[in-house]
């Protein structure tokens, strides 16, 4: 019989428990002494921290894959990047050019976490460089020659579709890009399409191309409302067509006189007017029920904008806006000044820019595991196809589904 101060026997169970305790203690020590992870994207504030330093993005060169040049320049190579820089699709060019100069770019595919596929197809289509049929055929041809696309099933490949049509410009997107990361200002097309190409779990909403054309107008309800209250509310029309058409500078001067800028949906749910409002310092009033806004992980849009049901456009909207206290308007404008740098496509070395925010969003999409249903792996971690051919030996073109 053991006395109260006798030493317990060290059984195998006790030894295992002691070893486990040592292991856990050692692990906690390493974790506590390890360098802190990159700070999260700040909220709120204009100081946007860059994506984690280890992020690497490979940008395909236009002459690297047969057919890729046509998606950038048209079938005869006559469409210039300068031409495609204009209009709402200009983000395709800006993001491509900024990534080419990005500190996160790598020239080594094997160290890349993500792959960027450049394309100016909306612009190329609008200028007659490719037909819809040719766009579809060319995309399929290009993707079939990308072993890394096949390896991941497209999960780590990035595409930009900046127009209202979004990824629908590539008719077979649902077959080939259903796992890929799509950058688009457009979050909904179910009004004209059976299915939206935007998926909240993998895609990223980006700001529209603020510094170029406005897009289509013709929102008659708002025109009539502005006519009723010409001294209070700016109309989205403002003589934007005809002999008395306002120039771009005059247009922004008119907006600057308003406390609120109405931002109705355009041909689709997104509208450039929303982004323009922040630079002329009026509170945007969103009148687009299905709109998706960029960087919702870090921006509280209730602090900087108002969203109003499009079915209730009329005197009640004006009465509501008129009831908002001046101090609340000033608070919203001040907060808008802080975040508007996120709508500007500048180098990702800038502490606050659309590209810095996009890179942060992309960092969150990085997966450690890149394999798809088309790849297999062996005990030595080599990646093979169904014929047990190692990944480094995969030839092109590689058949796609």
């Amino acid at each position: 019989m053991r006395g109260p101060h006798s030493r317990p026997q060290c059984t195998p169970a006790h030894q295992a428990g002691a070893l486990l305790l040592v292991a856990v203690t050692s692990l906690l020590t390493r974790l506590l002494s390890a360098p802190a992870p990159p700070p999260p994207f700040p909220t709120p504030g204009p100081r946007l921290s860059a994506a984690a330093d280890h992020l690497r993005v490979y940008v395909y060169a236009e002459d690297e894959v047969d057919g890729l040049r046509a998606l950038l320049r048209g079938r005869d190579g006559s469409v210039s990047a300068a031409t495609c820089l204009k209009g709402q699709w200009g983000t395709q060019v800006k993001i491509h050019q900024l990534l080419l100069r990005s500190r996160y770019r790598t020239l080594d595919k094997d160290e890349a976490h993500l792959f960027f596929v450049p394309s100016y197809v909306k612009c190329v289509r609008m200028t007659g460089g490719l037909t819809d049929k040719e766009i579809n055929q060319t995309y399929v041809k290009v993707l079939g020659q990308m072993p890394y696309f096949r390896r991941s099933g497209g999960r780590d490949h990035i595409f930009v579709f900046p127009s209202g049509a979004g990824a629908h410009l590539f008719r077979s997107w649902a077959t080939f890009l259903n796992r890929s990361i799509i950058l688009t200002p457009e979050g909904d097309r179910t009004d004209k399409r059976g299915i939206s190409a935007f998926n909240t779990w993998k895609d990223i909403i980006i700001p529209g191309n603020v510094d170029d054309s406005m897009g289509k107008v013709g929102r008659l309800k708002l025109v009539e409302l502005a006519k009723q209250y010409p001294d209070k509310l700016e109309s989205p029309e403002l003589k934007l067509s005809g002999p008395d058409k306002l120039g771009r500078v005059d247009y922004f001067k008119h907006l600057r006189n308003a406390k609120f800028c109405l931002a109705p949906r355009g041909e689709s749910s997104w509208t450039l007017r929303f982004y323009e409002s922040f630079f002329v310092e009026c509170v945007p009033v969103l009148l687009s029920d299905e709109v998706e806004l960029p960087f919702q992980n870090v921006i509280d849009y209730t602090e900087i904008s108002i969203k109003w049901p499009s079915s209730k456009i009329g005197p009640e909207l004006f009465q509501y806006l008129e009831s908002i206290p001046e101090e609340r308007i000033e608070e919203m404008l001040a907060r808008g000044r802080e975040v508007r740098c996120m709508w500007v496509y500048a180098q990702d070395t800038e502490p606050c820019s659309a590209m810095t925010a996009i890179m942060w969003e992309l960092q969150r999409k990085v997966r450690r595991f890149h394999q798809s249903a088309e790849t297999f792996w062996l005990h030595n971690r080599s990646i093979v196809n169904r014929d047990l051919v190692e990944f480094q030996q995969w030839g092109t073109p590689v058949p796609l589904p």
Side-chain angles (χ1 to χ4, degrees):
M1 186 171 178
R2 197 166 56 206
H5 300 293
S6 62
R7 188 171 182 176
Q9 296 297 313
C10 187
T11 66
H14 287 115
Q15 291 176 334
L19 289 173
L20 178 60
L21 178 61
V22 170
V24 170
T25 303
S26 176
L27 175 61
L28 287 173
T29 301
R30 289 199 304 272
L31 288 175
L32 291 172
S33 62
F41 202 86
T43 177
R47 301 184 191 88
L48 307 185
S49 120
D53 286 340
H54 69 275
L55 176 63
R56 294 292 178 265
V57 179
Y58 182 85
V59 182
Y60 285 99
E62 62 182 74
D63 58 353
E64 178 179 353
V65 182
D66 184 22
L68 187 55
R69 182 175 174 80
L71 295 177
L72 292 157
R73 315 292 179 193
R75 72 181 73 84
D76 58 3
S78 62
V79 182
S80 69
T83 298
C84 295
L85 195 56
K86 302 173 183 177
Q88 62 178 327
W89 52 77
T91 48
Q92 281 190 318
V93 181
K94 289 182 177 181
I95 292 174
H96 180 204
Q97 292 180 344
L98 288 167
L99 279 176
L100 289 174
R101 304 195 301 272
S102 174
R103 59 190 172 129
Y104 302 110
R105 182 189 178 195
T106 178
L107 301 179
D108 183 353
K109 290 191 184 79
D110 287 328
E111 76 167 14
H113 302 103
L114 299 169
F115 298 79
F116 181 78
V117 184
S119 167
Y120 308 157
V121 287
K122 175 65 175 179
C123 172
V124 168
R125 178 180 178 271
M126 294 295 288
T127 53
L130 288 175
T131 65
D132 289 347
K133 182 178 180 180
E134 288 173 326
I135 289 173
N136 196 73
Q137 292 173 336
T138 307
Y139 261 120
V140 173
K141 176 182 177 181
V142 166
L143 298 178
Q145 297 174 80
M146 292 179 170
Y148 285 82
F149 184 88
R150 180 72 168 192
R151 179 189 67 169
S152 69
R155 288 175 175 84
D156 50 14
H157 280 57
I158 308 163
F159 299 81
V160 182
F161 290 102
S163 72
H168 290 279
L169 283 169
F170 175 22
R171 289 177 177 175
S172 299
W173 70 266
T175 300
F176 296 96
L177 305 186
N178 59 76
R179 297 177 181 86
S180 299
I181 301 168
I182 294 175
L183 309 187
T184 176
E186 180 61 67
D188 181 77
R189 287 298 289 172
T190 52
D191 56 335
K192 293 187 176 181
R193 312 280 181 171
I195 185 174
S196 175
F198 175 76
N199 193 307
T200 53
W201 72 268
K202 66 181 184 65
D203 300 328
I204 298 172
I205 294 291
I206 60 174
N209 195 24
V210 177
D211 57 347
D212 294 310
S213 69
M214 276 185 52
K216 293 184 179 180
V217 291
R219 298 101 188 208
L220 299 180
K221 286 184 179 180
L222 297 177
V223 173
E224 291 305 314
L225 187 60
K227 287 178 181 177
Q228 292 178 47
Y229 308 101
D231 58 333
K232 299 287 186 181
L233 200 63
E234 289 289 355
S235 164
E237 295 288 1
L238 285 173
K239 298 181 181 178
L240 292 171
S241 60
D244 298 323
K245 176 180 178 180
L246 289 172
R248 191 103 181 118
V249 174
D250 290 332
Y251 163 69
F252 280 114
K253 283 181 179 177
H254 273 271
L255 291 186
R256 197 174 288 276
N257 292 331
K259 293 179 182 177
F260 302 99
C261 289
L262 303 180
R265 62 175 285 137
E267 188 175 322
S268 53
S269 62
W270 79 285
T271 170
L272 272 177
R273 186 69 174 274
F274 175 78
Y275 304 105
E276 292 172 337
S277 301
F278 293 94
F279 295 97
V280 297
E281 299 194 359
C282 56
V283 176
V285 181
L286 274 165
L287 301 166
S288 179
D289 298 348
E290 306 298 330
V291 69
E292 291 275 356
L293 298 171
F295 316 135
Q296 294 182 41
N297 293 309
V298 295
I299 296 178
D300 182 352
Y301 282 95
T302 63
E303 294 182 350
I304 60 176
S305 64
I306 294 166
K307 187 180 180 187
W308 184 265
S310 57
S311 60
K312 294 187 179 298
I313 296 174
E316 59 190 319
L317 168 58
F318 172 72
Q319 292 163 8
Y320 162 71
L321 295 177
E322 197 171 43
S323 71
I324 300 175
E326 288 291 333
E327 57 269 24
R328 178 57 186 149
I329 296 173
E330 290 304 318
E331 288 174 2
M332 297 178 79
L333 292 175
R335 182 69 180 117
R337 292 186 198 104
E338 292 181 357
V339 303
R340 65 186 177 186
C341 51
M342 296 174 70
W343 317 146
V344 179
Y345 282 89
Q347 197 71 32
D348 54 38
T349 51
E350 293 292 325
C352 178
S353 72
M355 281 303 296
T356 301
I358 288 171
M359 298 307 291
W360 183 84
E361 291 276 15
L362 287 174
Q363 169 62 32
R364 299 173 67 246
K365 306 292 183 184
V366 170
R367 295 174 173 139
R368 186 175 183 86
F369 190 68
H370 291 271
Q371 313 313 322
S372 72
E374 299 299 320
T375 60
F376 305 84
W377 52 92
L378 307 180
H379 74 283
N380 58 1
R381 300 178 63 224
S382 61
I383 306 303
V384 297
N385 64 13
R386 292 182 185 278
D387 297 321
L388 302 183
V389 177
E390 289 197 15
F391 177 69
Q392 287 73 14
Q393 304 300 319
W394 287 13
T396 57
V398 178
L400 287 170

